[in-house]
Amino acid sequence: MADTHHKEVDHISGVETTGHEWDGLKELNNPLPKWWLYLFYACIVWAVIYWVLYPSWPLISSYTTGVLGANQRTEAIAAYDKGISDRSVFADKIVAASLEDISTDQELLQFARANGQAAFGDNCAPCHGSGGTGAEGFPNLQDDTWIWGGTLDDIHTTLEFGIRSGHDEARIGEMPAFGRDELLSRDEINQVANFVASRAGLETEEGVDLAAGQTVFEDNCAACHGEDLKGIQEVGAPSLLSANYLYGKSLDDIKAQINNPRNGVMPAWVDRLDPATIKSLTVYVHSFGGGQ
């Protein structure tokens, strides 16, 4: 019996067609390359082997564990526990060592900086910035202007107890509201603000009696900021000479702070972070370059 099936051959490529046609386009019967088929079959074989060896198929309340008993969750937990164990060894050394000893021991210093960097990003960067450059109302930790001191011990104390945090040992330095509480008149505030601005190298208003402003300063401000305007760290009074002011660097900002000052709050970390982390933060912040 003769074969009545006629295989059409594309006259351009010389390849048989499958008989499928869409809008005049005919499908050619080109088989997949052998290398692709072999790779596909190998993947199937590997999948079957993987199903047998490793956890793969979900069950009602569990999953197939595989003959090797491998478990990435268990491995991850074991790696985490090892990391905690390794960290605890260095953490104990950090707690036992003085801040000066940490700074001179390269192994402890490396750990403290790495640990401090992580803690800084989690706890301090939202206010001070990821690089410690600060913002208005939040001190720059990279410069050498430290309200409460920039030594290792000073930074450690500030971190532990905070500033106006409510902790019994917190650093507290309140600036009086000379305008709001009517301690100074508007003219006196204007005079002393212009005097401070002049000493800080800022632009002042014309016609203001700077000598009168100096008198107002000596009578009301020098007790905290010093007669030389360099500030007194023991009471948290900043230097007024650098114009690196926490709440703005213009004459209007100075007037606003004298009139109704903003007194920021820094949390006490002693009850939030462990001693090793606080020491690590101290060393890390000091390494910014502005520490004393």
Side-chain angles (χ1 to χ4, degrees):
M1 183 175 180
D3 184 6
T4 59
H5 176 69
H6 175 69
K7 297 181 179 180
E8 183 181 1
V9 178
D10 179 61
H11 70 281
I12 296 177
S13 63
V15 178
E16 292 180 358
T17 67
T18 63
H20 300 153
E21 181 179 343
W22 296 271
D23 296 332
L25 299 177
K26 296 181 179 181
E27 181 183 13
L28 301 181
N29 188 20
N30 280 319
L32 293 170
K34 289 185 177 181
W35 67 265
W36 192 97
L37 287 173
Y38 293 152
L39 182 61
F40 178 68
Y41 296 147
C43 289
I44 294 175
V45 173
W46 166 247
V48 173
I49 295 174
Y50 190 93
W51 295 341
V52 174
L53 297 179
Y54 295 96
S56 54
W57 288 101
L59 303 175
I60 296 177
S61 60
S62 182
Y63 54 89
T64 58
T65 59
V67 297
L68 295 182
N71 189 313
Q72 290 182 332
R73 179 180 177 84
T74 302
E75 294 172 358
I77 293 176
Y80 173 80
D81 291 340
K82 183 179 184 301
I84 293 296
S85 177
D86 293 342
R87 180 186 180 278
S88 65
V89 174
F90 281 99
D92 291 342
K93 292 180 179 180
I94 290 289
V95 172
S98 68
L99 292 168
E100 289 73 17
D101 289 341
I102 296 172
S103 299
T104 56
D105 186 310
Q106 288 303 311
E107 188 177 38
L108 291 181
L109 180 62
Q110 183 178 2
F111 172 83
R113 286 181 174 175
N115 190 38
Q117 182 178 14
F120 188 91
D122 291 340
N123 301 281
C124 314
C127 291
H128 293 284
S130 59
T133 53
E136 184 173 330
F138 304 101
N140 182 351
L141 305 177
Q142 290 194 10
D143 61 22
D144 57 359
T145 303
W146 293 81
I147 297 176
W148 293 98
T151 67
L152 285 168
D153 288 334
D154 290 332
I155 296 172
H156 187 259
T157 299
T158 302
L159 282 168
E160 277 194 308
F161 307 121
I163 299 170
R164 292 178 286 273
S165 63
H167 192 280
D168 291 340
E169 298 185 54
R171 299 188 184 280
I172 300 175
E174 298 284 351
M175 178 172 174
F178 289 100
R180 185 193 65 197
D181 296 339
E182 300 181 351
L183 301 176
L184 294 175
S185 67
R186 180 175 298 180
D187 286 342
E188 289 173 322
I189 291 176
N190 190 48
Q191 290 167 352
V192 72
N194 275 272
F195 167 72
V196 171
S198 69
R199 293 294 303 274
L202 300 176
E203 185 176 350
T204 60
E205 298 170 334
E206 294 184 4
V208 177
D209 189 346
L210 297 182
Q214 181 175 358
T215 300
V216 175
F217 182 89
E218 292 172 349
D219 293 342
N220 298 274
C221 314
C224 292
H225 293 284
E227 294 184 2
D228 55 4
L229 283 76
K230 292 183 179 180
I232 302 176
Q233 290 182 351
E234 289 75 12
V235 296
S239 169
L240 302 177
L241 296 178
S242 65
N244 187 16
Y245 298 147
L246 192 57
Y247 296 107
K249 303 177 182 180
S250 70
L251 178 59
D252 288 339
D253 291 327
I254 297 174
K255 290 180 181 179
Q257 189 66 6
I258 296 173
N259 180 66
N260 188 18
R262 288 176 284 177
N263 294 301
V265 174
M266 175 179 168
W269 296 103
V270 65
D271 296 324
R272 305 185 186 194
L273 301 176
D274 59 79
T277 300
I278 293 179
K279 277 191 172 183
S280 297
L281 269 172
T282 300
V283 173
Y284 177 68
V285 170
H286 190 265
S287 72
F288 282 155
Q292 297 168 341

